[in-house]
Amino acid sequence: MKRYFVVWPLLLCCRQATAPDNLFSAEPGGTNSRPAEITPADVRPHIEYLASRALQGRGARPGKLLAAEYIRNKFEQIGLRPLFFGGGFYQSIPGPRVKSGEMEELGRNVGGWLPGSDLQQEFIILSAHYDHLGAEGNIYYPGADDNASSVAMLLEVARQFAAGKPPRRSLAFVSFDLEERLLWGSRWFVAHPPWPLPQVKLFITADLIGRSLGNLPLSTIFVMGSEQALGLKDLIERTPAPPGLHVARLGVDLVGTRSDYGPFRSEKIPFLFFSSGEHPDYHTPDDTAERIDFPQVARVSNLIRQVCAQAADADSTPRWTDAPEHEIDEVRTIHHITELLLARDDADKAARRPGLSNLQRFTVSNIKTQLGRTLERGTITAADRPSLVRSAQLLLLTAF
Ligand SMILES: [Zn+2]
């Protein structure tokens, strides 16, 4: 996920890891002896391996290639079909010409799919980028939350669908490369899609699903983009949230383009973006597997699996709208976050721990007061939107 500004603390860890390969007991497409729910034990080995020192922060070869290979092998193991031209699981992303005149490979997207039944020509794409920041000298950026957490979700959701009865629409599972470099992998995919883009009925992506916003006491997954297509709000509201998980819909304009939905949004393809939000370890060497909330990753994975199933079997598909509707719930969600921030700051101050600076506290309090007034009024108008967007972005910049 792209960031607003950067902090680089120091950290070293030395455990070598090998790719776990006995994860999938289910035969591809056969009967699945595993429980229906995706469990913490399912997602954990993926995250531990992808965030291990062996993969060197998945920013360059060979570490990044090991990650791509791992995902490719899992896709093949669970019985997905290769997604790209020429029967490959890889979509090579060309870079500059090298001396020999050859085109250097800048990266590779990894993709597999499952044919649907009667609406096979319509596609639901589920994605999660696998690249991260790499290493600098002896310091590497594990990227456990960004974005090994969502790659684990992608692999386990794909496994569940591959082991079950095919839905009506086809499902494509794509792990993009080069998200950390201006979304280059998803831009390349949209410019070179395996099928005409109008056949893509919904694009779903996740980025950071294994922690909480600002390490706040939240078990919330934010879902962005449902306001941008008719039918998506109902789809999310019809999907029961797994126990212990709170689902909060927010307008994508509150955060801007932060991940691989960007190029799809530009093509006006309906999309959903799932994230539990930034935290102090984001884009630092402290984003390690040990700090991941594995039960939350499993809960979010089960939620996304249900959303995919509903979208793949629904009679109709979401329709893009250029006039998104916004609701007071968004204001309630952001207001609640300001309350949590101030409550934590009170506790920090009482315990003589470093908390918010005076300016940060002043900013957060101001936003809380302003949002409180809107909540009292109980309605939100289009005219309110610009100031709500400013408040949300100021909050993200100030407190996270
Ligand atoms: Zn990311």
Side-chain angles (χ1 to χ4, degrees), residues 15 17-24 34 39-52 55 70 74 148 151-152 155-156 289 294 297:
R15 193 157 49 101
T18 51
D21 57 5
N22 58 354
L23 282 175
F24 302 126
R34 280 176 164 249
T39 69
D42 291 327
V43 295
R44 185 183 197 121
H46 300 308
I47 297 171
E48 288 180 339
Y49 175 68
L50 292 166
S52 67
L55 274 65
Y70 177 79
K74 296 300 170 200
V151 173
L155 292 173
E156 288 305 313
F294 296 107
V297 176

Side-chain angles (χ1 to χ4, degrees), residues 41-112:
D42 291 327
V43 295
R44 185 183 197 121
H46 300 308
I47 297 171
E48 288 180 339
Y49 175 68
L50 292 166
S52 67
R53 180 177 277 280
L55 274 65
Q56 284 294 300
R58 309 183 309 276
R61 293 167 178 239
K64 201 168 63 154
L65 277 187
L66 286 173
E69 201 178 289
Y70 177 79
I71 297 163
R72 181 212 172 287
N73 292 343
K74 296 300 170 200
F75 279 174
E76 189 171 40
Q77 229 179 43
I78 60 180
L80 299 191
R81 298 185 183 188
L83 184 62
F84 299 110
F85 304 119
F89 282 100
Y90 293 136
Q91 181 184 42
S92 186
I93 305 160
R97 276 186 198 287
V98 291
K99 279 210 196 71
S100 64
E102 294 278 303
M103 193 80 88
E104 182 197 28
E105 182 184 80
L106 206 56
R108 53 180 67 177
N109 294 328
V110 191

Side-chain angles (χ1 to χ4, degrees), residues 108-125:
R108 53 180 67 177
N109 294 328
V110 191
W113 70 294
L114 289 172
S117 53
D118 62 319
L119 297 168
Q120 199 176 105
Q121 290 311 309
E122 298 187 0
F123 288 85
I124 309 292
I125 301 177

Side-chain angles (χ1 to χ4, degrees), residues 142-169:
D145 198 23
D146 187 12
N147 197 24
S149 63
S150 307
V151 173
M153 172 280 292
L154 181 73
L155 292 173
E156 288 305 313
V157 171
R159 179 179 66 78
Q160 294 266 336
F161 277 107
K165 193 169 75 50
R168 299 181 67 193
R169 293 183 180 84

